[in-house]
Amino acid sequence: MQIAILSFFHYFTSMFKKRDNIFEVEEGKFLSPKFDKDGLITVITTDSKSGDVLMQGYMNDEALKKTIETKQAHYWSRSRNALWQKGETSGFVQKVLDFRIDDDQDSLWMSVDIGDGASCHVGYKSCFYRSIQLGTIKNTEEVELEFKEKKKKFDPEKVYKGQPNPTKL
Amino acid sequence: MQIAILSFFHYFTSMFKKRDNIFEVEEGKFLSPKFDKDGLITVITTDSKSGDVLMQGYMNDEALKKTIETKQAHYWSRSRNALWQKGETSGFVQKVLDFRIDDDQDSLWMSVDIGDGASCHVGYKSCFYRSIQLGTIKNTEEVELEFKEKKKKFDPEKVYKGQPNPTKL
């Protein structure tokens, strides 16, 4: 058991360079991701064709490794507390064409091909289907949203039948 | 003092609709942002011209309100623990052209105009200036990064003279 734990530890540490100086993290040529206290790193997913942001999710070290190896997006689902290959239920797989990391290596950006698919569990192509009205806020009034996608790409009741909604209040 | 605290509370709650049902959060026409336990929400910033992701940051309720009102990007700096108007030191202000929120309203996306400016404290235009090499990982080898931006847009030593580097190990 101890050997298994040590192997597991080695497996996830040897492929990531230790974060031991800021210059290397910012200007170096090796992946040194910074996971937060929950073991997660944020990931932004954009559509390679339109450039639109499709979704923002999280990866743990295993999801990051699987994404690099398979070139298909894997995430960590915070609502289900589980590794999650995008498309395993909906069929809407995300093929990773470019995968970037930011200056301090605590945020990821994937440019993906989703064909004619969608990325939002509500049924829209992008999770970001509403714009916030900009301008003066009257403190007695709520800020309005405008729908930018008019039509859903799929019916979530059919695609995710019987599964709990990941949105939490 | 009590009145001041109550007014402050009212100020930031009345403009955001209470998150009291999932349908309203996902399909409604009012802003009901979900701040995490530190009072923050993630924000993705893209270049309105190229569509490239420039940076990923955080807002607290005040940064969100100021961004909506002024149409200029404001963030919460986790490294300085302070409200931060982008460009206050560097001059590289971000004009917000479109500001979106996602399905469960716990992530924001701003499309911004930065003119011929830059958004990364290291000096590059985008914080995401390096791509991760995709494909099989050998567990004994570190994963390599490839620089996608070859030249810095500015010299951070001059622009941020005397200020601490926000990158933490």
Side-chain angles (χ1 to χ4, degrees):
Chain A
M1 183 63 187
Q2 198 175 10
I3 291 164
I5 290 167
L6 284 172
S7 304
F8 183 83
F9 185 73
H10 178 75
Y11 182 65
F12 286 126
T13 50
S14 59
M15 63 192 235
F16 301 142
K17 191 170 163 62
K18 199 168 163 244
R19 294 171 63 88
D20 47 20
N21 82 73
I22 287 173
F23 182 79
E24 274 298 317
V25 167
E26 289 183 345
E27 305 269 17
K29 291 192 166 186
F30 292 103
L31 186 59
S32 308
K34 184 176 190 175
F35 296 97
D36 67 15
K37 58 189 181 304
D38 298 318
L40 303 178
I41 184 167
T42 56
V43 53
I44 299 156
T45 309
T46 61
D47 182 334
S48 61
K49 287 196 194 82
S50 67
D52 285 350
V53 178
L54 294 171
M55 55 185 284
Q56 185 258 309
Y58 295 87
M59 288 183 180
N60 65 352
D61 49 11
E62 194 182 355
L64 175 54
K65 180 179 178 294
K66 282 194 182 287
T67 301
I68 293 171
E69 283 201 330
T70 64
K71 302 178 195 177
Q72 291 196 355
H74 290 69
Y75 299 90
W76 179 259
S77 165
R78 294 183 306 166
S79 59
R80 290 185 287 119
N81 220 27
L83 187 74
W84 159 43
Q85 183 185 351
K86 183 70 186 170
E88 66 193 358
T89 302
S90 64
F92 299 135
V93 169
Q94 297 175 338
K95 282 199 279 187
V96 182
L97 302 186
D98 191 17
F99 195 14
R100 298 204 183 183
I101 194 153
D102 75 340
D103 43 17
D104 59 350
Q105 301 207 30
D106 70 352
S107 186
L108 298 160
W109 164 28
M110 290 191 291
S111 175
V112 303
D113 178 359
I114 58 165
D116 190 39
S119 284
C120 173
H121 77 277
V122 180
Y124 296 99
K125 184 174 180 187
S126 162
C127 293
F128 295 86
Y129 46 83
R130 289 170 296 181
S131 275
I132 300 168
Q133 200 175 47
L134 297 170
T136 310
I137 293 170
K138 294 192 184 105
N139 290 324
T140 51
E141 285 176 19
E142 285 154 345
V143 176
E144 283 189 40
L145 302 177
E146 183 194 343
F147 276 72
K148 292 291 183 175
E149 289 191 39
K150 306 294 180 191
K151 207 169 172 296
K152 294 192 182 187
K153 295 280 287 180
F154 68 92
D155 180 354
E157 303 263 332
K158 284 185 188 151
V159 168
Y160 295 111
K161 202 176 174 179
Q163 293 198 17
N165 187 325
T167 295
K168 307 293 174 206
L169 288 178
Chain B
M1 183 62 187
Q2 200 173 7
I3 291 165
I5 290 168
L6 283 172
S7 305
F8 183 82
F9 186 70
H10 178 75
Y11 183 64
F12 285 126
T13 51
S14 60
M15 63 191 237
F16 301 142
K17 192 170 161 60
K18 202 171 160 238
R19 294 171 64 87
D20 47 18
N21 82 73
I22 287 173
F23 182 80
E24 275 296 320
V25 167
E26 289 183 345
E27 304 271 16
K29 291 190 168 189
F30 291 104
L31 186 59
S32 308
K34 185 177 190 174
F35 296 96
D36 68 13
K37 58 186 182 306
D38 298 319
L40 303 178
I41 185 167
T42 56
V43 53
I44 300 155
T45 308
T46 61
D47 181 333
S48 61
K49 288 198 194 80
S50 66
D52 285 350
V53 178
L54 293 172
M55 55 183 285
Q56 185 258 309
Y58 295 86
M59 288 183 181
N60 65 351
D61 48 12
E62 193 183 354
L64 175 54
K65 181 177 177 295
K66 282 193 181 288
T67 300
I68 293 171
E69 284 201 329
T70 64
K71 303 179 194 176
Q72 292 197 355
H74 290 70
Y75 300 89
W76 179 258
S77 164
R78 295 184 306 167
S79 61
R80 289 186 287 120
N81 221 26
L83 187 74
W84 159 42
Q85 182 186 353
K86 182 69 185 172
E88 66 193 1
T89 302
S90 65
F92 299 135
V93 169
Q94 297 175 337
K95 283 199 279 187
V96 183
L97 302 186
D98 191 18
F99 195 15
R100 298 203 183 184
I101 195 152
D102 75 339
D103 44 17
D104 59 350
Q105 301 207 31
D106 70 351
S107 186
L108 298 159
W109 165 27
M110 289 190 292
S111 175
V112 303
D113 177 1
I114 57 165
D116 190 39
S119 285
C120 172
H121 77 276
V122 180
Y124 296 99
K125 182 175 180 187
S126 162
C127 293
F128 295 86
Y129 46 83
R130 288 171 296 182
S131 275
I132 300 169
Q133 199 175 51
L134 297 170
T136 310
I137 294 170
K138 294 193 185 104
N139 290 322
T140 50
E141 286 177 18
E142 286 154 345
V143 177
E144 283 190 40
L145 302 176
E146 184 194 342
F147 276 72
K148 293 288 181 174
E149 289 191 40
K150 307 293 181 192
K151 204 169 173 298
K152 294 192 182 187
K153 296 277 289 180
F154 67 94
D155 179 353
E157 303 262 332
K158 284 186 190 152
V159 169
Y160 296 111
K161 201 176 176 183
Q163 294 198 15
N165 188 325
T167 294
K168 308 290 173 207
L169 288 177

